[in-house]
Amino acid sequence: MDGFNLYHGLREKWGRRYLWLDVVELARSLRPRDDLVAVKYFTASVLDDPDGQARQDTYINALSVLHPDTFGVIYGRYQRKQMSCRACGARWTSYEEKETDVNISAHMIADASNRAMTSALLISADGDLAPAIKMAKTIDPALFAVAAFPPRRASFALNDLMPSFTIGPGRIKAAQLPEVVTVDGVIYERPKKWR
């Protein structure tokens, strides 16, 4: 699961309303006949935004305690990038997420090689992942792979390679975490900015 691809699709479609998403329940609802072994959530820690980092940490921690045997997070990194306007000379710092598609690709190929899966649900619309899908299917020709595109996202490369669909609003709405997640006395509450 491409965390930022999903996050930005949700934000573009509904603002922050559905960001408190139970991605494990979403995966189960998208492939109800499959035995869900693992949900790998690929993301990068927010950089230079303490409030954003706190929201991200709360969200990931809530998912981790709610689904300790199923949910795992794999971190890439954020990178600062200095930008400037050619016309006016204004300068600013932009941020770029790095390593997510490489991490997804590496895990996809490793899982295919180790026969850790018989089917793969890719929640992303990043066409750069197409070579990894091709390699995984070369390693395990019986592997069934399907792409689920986040809202407002699509990929011709992935669509041409395997069955694909856009995740509908009903699935997103039905897979929201409870407002408060409490496990063993530890409480994780939906961030106020996400309401």
Side-chain angles (χ1 to χ4, degrees), residues 20-191:
W20 194 237
L21 179 65
D22 188 336
V23 294
V24 174
E25 287 306 313
L26 177 65
R28 282 189 178 117
S29 77
L30 296 174
R31 300 289 303 161
R33 294 184 186 147
D34 286 354
D35 180 22
L36 184 65
V37 175
V39 171
K40 294 183 178 185
Y41 187 81
F42 296 84
T43 191
S45 292
V46 175
L47 188 61
D48 297 338
D49 178 1
D51 291 337
Q53 181 63 62
R55 287 189 299 274
Q56 184 186 44
D57 288 345
T58 296
Y59 176 62
I60 289 172
N61 288 335
L63 288 167
S64 296
V65 299
L66 196 59
H67 304 290
D69 298 327
T70 310
F71 178 79
V73 62
I74 296 92
Y75 286 99
R77 62 185 170 83
Y78 252 124
Q79 179 173 294
R80 290 177 192 90
K81 189 175 181 182
Q82 294 304 312
M83 307 293 286
S84 62
C85 175
R86 291 182 188 181
C88 70
R91 299 179 61 80
W92 67 93
T93 301
S94 180
Y95 297 91
E96 188 176 17
E97 180 194 6
K98 304 297 281 182
E99 300 176 6
T100 294
D101 53 353
V102 174
N103 281 334
I104 292 172
S105 297
H107 279 258
M108 183 84 63
I109 292 168
D111 287 346
S113 296
N114 296 328
R115 301 296 196 264
M117 60 185 173
T118 56
S119 65
L121 171 65
L122 175 64
I123 298 180
S124 179
D126 187 341
D128 289 344
L129 299 172
I133 297 293
K134 289 176 186 174
M135 181 59 68
K137 286 182 165 188
T138 299
I139 292 165
D140 182 2
L143 177 68
F144 175 76
V146 60
F149 300 146
R152 304 241 172 154
R153 298 284 183 269
S155 167
F156 291 117
L158 295 178
N159 193 50
D160 289 345
L161 185 61
M162 61 185 158
S164 62
F165 61 93
T166 299
I167 303 168
R171 302 276 187 193
I172 299 291
K173 292 173 187 176
Q176 294 297 299
L177 289 163
E179 290 293 311
V180 177
V181 174
T182 305
V183 177
D184 297 330
V186 180
I187 298 171
Y188 298 96
E189 188 172 345
R190 179 182 178 144

